[in-house]
Amino acid sequence: MDRGHMLCDAQGTGLSRILRRSMVLSDRIGGPRFPPAKLEETVSNPSLKCSQMRRTEMYPRTPKVTLAELIERYNRGETHAVTALYQLCQVQQFQVQLRETVTTGNVRGFLFAFCAVIDGVEYKTGMGKTKKEARSRAAHLALEDLIPKLDPQAYAHNASDFPPSLVSWRCSPGPDVHAEKVLCGKNNPLNELILEAVKEKYNKLMGGYPEFSSCGSTLAAFVIQSCTRFDVVAIGTGDHNTRETVASDGRLLHDAHALITARRSLMRYLYRHLLLFFSKNPVLVAKSIFEQDGKTKLLVLKGKTTIHLYMNQLPKGAAQMSSRLCLKPLSISTWEVNNQMGLHVAVEGNVFSTFSSNLDQMSSKVVSMSASDKLTQWQVLGFQGALLSHLLEPIYVNTILIGDTSCSNLRGLEFALNQRVDGIISKLPMYYCAYRAHVGLVPAVHPTSTGGQRSLSMNWTQGDISFEIVDGLVGRSTVDSPNKSCSSLASRLCKAAMLSRFSLVTKESQRVDLSKAVSYREAKMMSKSYQEAKNLLKSHLNQKGYGSWVVKSPISDGFSA
């Protein structure tokens, strides 16, 4: 036997052992197998090795182990978090990576930090004294977020209210992923539950007011998910901001776009639950969505409580950018790139880039940042705002669903929310992060209509007897609104109303330090960490070339309660 034959035989034996070992491991985790007959054929014929292995990689067979079995093993403690994460992603055909990153917040001492990146989505950062500990913590945090969305039994607590199973959840892809991958949100049972809740609530509210039903074209809604239910807690519609001059008493609603009115309605909901928490009545405290963090003493959402956002249209601004800019940015002129990817402002419902020369002619008008930019800001600073940051840790949205029938992909939204804030996490103060929500295209809850009074805006918060109609161009409630807060027609969403609620909560919480603020602006500026994070975000966007955040007129925030 010559040396060449001996070498070939030795290589064949080595490959045989490797393949047999792979076959055993595949049995354990449900991976692809080589049948015994094919195994011997592969070993005896070296020319088949590469081609057969390439076919196996290109067309992997469906795993044998079910998702439920993997989750059950992990929950019983039989599988390590890192192993469970990789096995789970193999079954779901997700791309997964445990990436080393930087520690979050003002962490003292030297710690390693890792985060899981699944299908382009970065999950919470895990930290530890060793890399192994940090990787394990990161995997655990990712599984903690994924399993409730993947477990077929996650929503089986009340079979009469919900579909029997939750089959699969696709994390939001990066900007290089095709639209077809995002469109899987249309068949996601979790998304269907959110859509059903929003549609049912909106139709119920509009049941006796068909004259306002066209407001639903711009509908935005926040849904809170607990262990067994989905509750629509805040709704807003609208497509304009006021054409009036800035008011000094805080009683003018400057921005009545759907996302902004829905978010301010969400803040009213948060204030109500803060009052429940500080009521000292055990029954009322139990109904609150908040609990106190033992270390920070700030309030946080109770465990297994998440917030989802639905929008019937893509938010104005960078989210509506052309998909060409995401796919081939170098082939587009610098002006067009800056014009679409950068910051935008809204003036009487019209949107302009902050690089536009037209802004110089609008100094006398109320100018608001676009809905896309505000959404970017809230996914970093939290939806609670500056005032509530005195009492709450940042509150982020877990899912963002878009029902825009004219939208074929969400590359612009992904870019606006994620790519523009890349690299900011290490700069932010404690509690703040660049939270990456799951994003999906879904069927529209309400048909888009060009009729009706386009300047009208509707808002509602859970617990309200009826909804309020605001004329967005005027910035006040209409005379025929089902709800009118006062004779001056000031909206219940205006800044003065928010400051009044804040004063009531500070009194109930016995925060004497917060009662010293003499104006709305001073109360906001007293939230040091929030203001630090906000300034860092503005500076980051400016340094990255996306433009400057518009500075508000000091008149608008100078009023007192």
Side-chain angles (χ1 to χ4, degrees):
M1 183 181 294
D2 58 23
R3 292 183 61 181
H5 186 76
M6 290 175 63
L7 179 61
C8 180
D9 188 53
Q11 289 175 336
T13 303
L15 179 62
S16 175
R17 291 176 179 173
I18 292 172
L19 292 176
R20 286 193 179 97
R21 191 182 304 120
S22 299
M23 181 174 65
V24 173
L25 290 175
S26 298
D27 286 341
R28 294 176 182 172
I29 66 172
R33 308 183 193 183
F34 289 92
K38 295 290 182 181
L39 176 63
E40 297 302 327
E41 181 182 355
T42 303
V43 174
S44 62
N45 190 348
S47 65
L48 296 178
K49 296 173 187 175
C50 294
S51 62
Q52 184 163 353
M53 293 181 73
R54 276 198 300 269
R55 286 197 299 271
T56 302
E57 293 174 0
M58 293 174 60
Y59 305 103
R61 301 183 182 182
T62 304
K64 299 296 183 182
V65 176
T66 66
L67 176 66
E69 290 174 336
L70 287 177
I71 294 175
E72 186 178 352
R73 291 178 188 176
Y74 172 69
N75 288 336
R76 290 200 304 260
E78 298 176 3
T79 310
H80 188 270
V82 175
T83 304
L85 180 64
Y86 277 95
Q87 290 180 354
L88 182 147
C89 289
Q90 180 188 12
V91 170
Q92 295 300 110
Q93 298 182 3
F94 293 158
Q95 293 183 352
V96 60
Q97 177 188 6
L98 281 173
R99 179 187 301 169
E100 190 166 8
T101 182
V102 295
T103 55
T104 57
N106 300 324
V107 179
R108 296 184 178 181
F110 181 79
L111 295 175
F112 292 98
F114 279 80
C115 66
V117 182
I118 303 174
D119 273 7
V121 177
E122 189 174 299
Y123 285 76
K124 295 177 182 178
T125 300
M127 292 177 283
K129 295 182 180 179
T130 65
K131 288 189 175 183
K132 182 177 180 180
E133 182 182 343
R135 283 167 57 89
S136 176
R137 180 60 180 162
H140 172 75
L141 290 172
L143 289 169
E144 196 176 60
D145 192 13
L146 279 176
I147 286 178
K149 304 178 182 69
L150 293 168
D151 188 355
Q153 303 301 321
Y155 302 101
H157 300 290
N158 192 338
S160 62
D161 294 335
F162 304 112
S165 65
L166 184 63
V167 180
S168 176
W169 171 265
R170 282 284 188 184
C171 301
S172 59
D176 58 333
V177 181
H178 295 295
E180 290 77 12
K181 194 169 185 180
V182 186
L183 288 171
C184 67
K186 289 186 176 182
N187 299 318
N188 189 305
L190 174 64
N191 295 352
E192 292 174 4
L193 293 173
I194 296 171
L195 294 180
E196 182 182 349
V198 173
K199 187 173 184 178
E200 181 182 352
K201 176 56 68 177
Y202 184 76
N203 290 339
K204 185 177 180 180
L205 288 172
M206 289 296 164
Y209 302 92
E211 66 271 28
F212 299 126
S213 61
S214 61
C215 291
S217 296
T218 57
L219 174 68
F222 287 93
V223 179
I224 287 192
Q225 174 193 349
S226 58
C227 292
T228 59
R229 55 190 298 170
F230 290 76
D231 290 322
V232 180
V233 299
I235 291 178
T237 73
D239 203 33
H240 289 79
N241 50 341
T242 184
R243 63 188 172 196
E244 305 292 328
T245 56
V246 177
S248 59
D249 60 0
R251 295 182 179 275
L252 192 70
L253 185 61
H254 293 161
D255 195 342
H257 284 88
L259 177 60
I260 284 73
T261 56
R263 183 256 183 171
R264 294 184 80 83
S265 298
L266 174 67
M267 291 172 68
R268 293 181 62 232
Y269 174 82
L270 299 179
Y271 275 116
R272 287 177 178 174
H273 278 262
L274 282 172
L275 290 175
L276 291 177
F277 182 85
F278 291 121
S279 67
K280 298 180 181 179
N281 183 323
V283 177
L284 297 179
V285 172
K287 292 182 179 180
S288 174
I289 61 171
F290 295 117
E291 61 185 6
Q292 191 172 49
D293 184 282
K295 295 181 179 179
T296 67
K297 303 304 179 183
L298 292 172
L299 301 189
V300 297
L301 294 175
K302 287 181 178 177
K304 298 183 180 180
T305 300
T306 54
I307 303 180
H308 310 287
L309 169 62
Y310 168 81
M311 289 181 282
N312 213 59
Q313 294 182 4
L314 271 174
K316 292 178 180 179
Q320 296 183 354
M321 77 170 72
S322 170
S323 60
R324 294 182 304 139
L325 298 181
C326 296
L327 296 175
K328 299 179 180 179
L330 298 180
S331 66
I332 313 297
S333 68
T334 302
W335 178 87
E336 189 175 356
V337 171
N338 290 340
N339 196 52
Q340 293 200 42
M341 289 185 174
L343 300 176
H344 292 74
V345 295
V347 182
E348 296 183 16
N350 300 310
V351 178
F352 302 89
S353 166
T354 54
F355 296 102
S356 174
S357 58
N358 294 329
L359 286 181
D360 298 333
Q361 307 169 12
M362 302 173 187
S363 57
S364 62
K365 297 181 180 293
V366 172
V367 178
S368 304
M369 296 305 297
S370 72
S372 291
D373 299 330
K374 288 189 175 181
L375 190 57
T376 302
Q377 173 183 277
W378 296 331
Q379 283 298 90
V380 174
L381 306 181
F383 282 74
Q384 75 290 336
L387 294 182
L388 287 177
S389 294
H390 289 290
L391 304 165
L392 303 175
E393 288 190 15
I395 293 177
Y396 300 104
V397 162
N398 190 67
T399 308
I400 299 175
L401 302 180
I402 305 296
D404 196 330
T405 55
S406 63
C407 179
S408 60
N409 66 75
L410 298 176
R411 295 189 186 101
L413 182 61
E414 289 276 352
F415 179 87
L417 296 182
N418 301 330
Q419 273 64 36
R420 294 197 300 182
V421 295
D422 273 348
I424 196 176
I425 295 179
S426 60
K427 307 173 186 177
L428 295 171
M430 188 175 288
Y431 314 127
Y432 296 96
C433 68
Y435 194 92
R436 300 205 172 191
H438 303 292
V439 178
L441 273 174
V442 293
V445 165
H446 192 280
T448 302
S449 173
T450 56
Q453 301 182 53
R454 299 289 296 174
S455 66
L456 294 185
S457 168
M458 183 272 277
N459 68 80
W460 171 88
T461 301
Q462 187 185 73
D464 288 344
I465 297 175
S466 58
F467 58 86
E468 178 185 63
I469 295 293
V470 174
D471 188 326
L473 290 174
V474 177
R476 296 183 184 274
S477 302
T478 60
V479 176
D480 58 347
S481 171
N483 177 277
K484 292 184 283 291
S485 300
C486 59
S487 58
S488 66
L489 299 180
S491 171
R492 57 191 180 188
L493 300 185
C494 68
K495 293 180 179 180
M498 292 296 174
L499 181 58
S500 176
R501 295 185 185 94
F502 176 71
S503 299
L504 180 59
V505 167
T506 55
K507 181 179 180 181
E508 292 296 317
S509 62
Q510 299 180 351
R511 288 289 301 271
V512 180
D513 57 319
L514 300 179
S515 63
K516 297 178 181 179
V518 297
S519 68
Y520 180 74
R521 174 178 174 77
E522 186 175 342
K524 291 172 64 176
M525 296 306 295
M526 286 172 64
S527 183
K528 301 297 184 183
S529 294
Y530 182 91
Q531 296 300 334
E532 180 186 352
K534 186 175 182 179
N535 290 333
L536 284 168
L537 174 62
K538 291 179 180 180
S539 175
H540 173 87
L541 292 171
N542 193 22
Q543 291 174 6
K544 292 290 185 179
Y546 297 119
S548 299
W549 204 271
V550 172
V551 179
K552 292 181 182 178
S553 169
I555 299 175
S556 63
D557 291 352
F559 63 93
S560 57

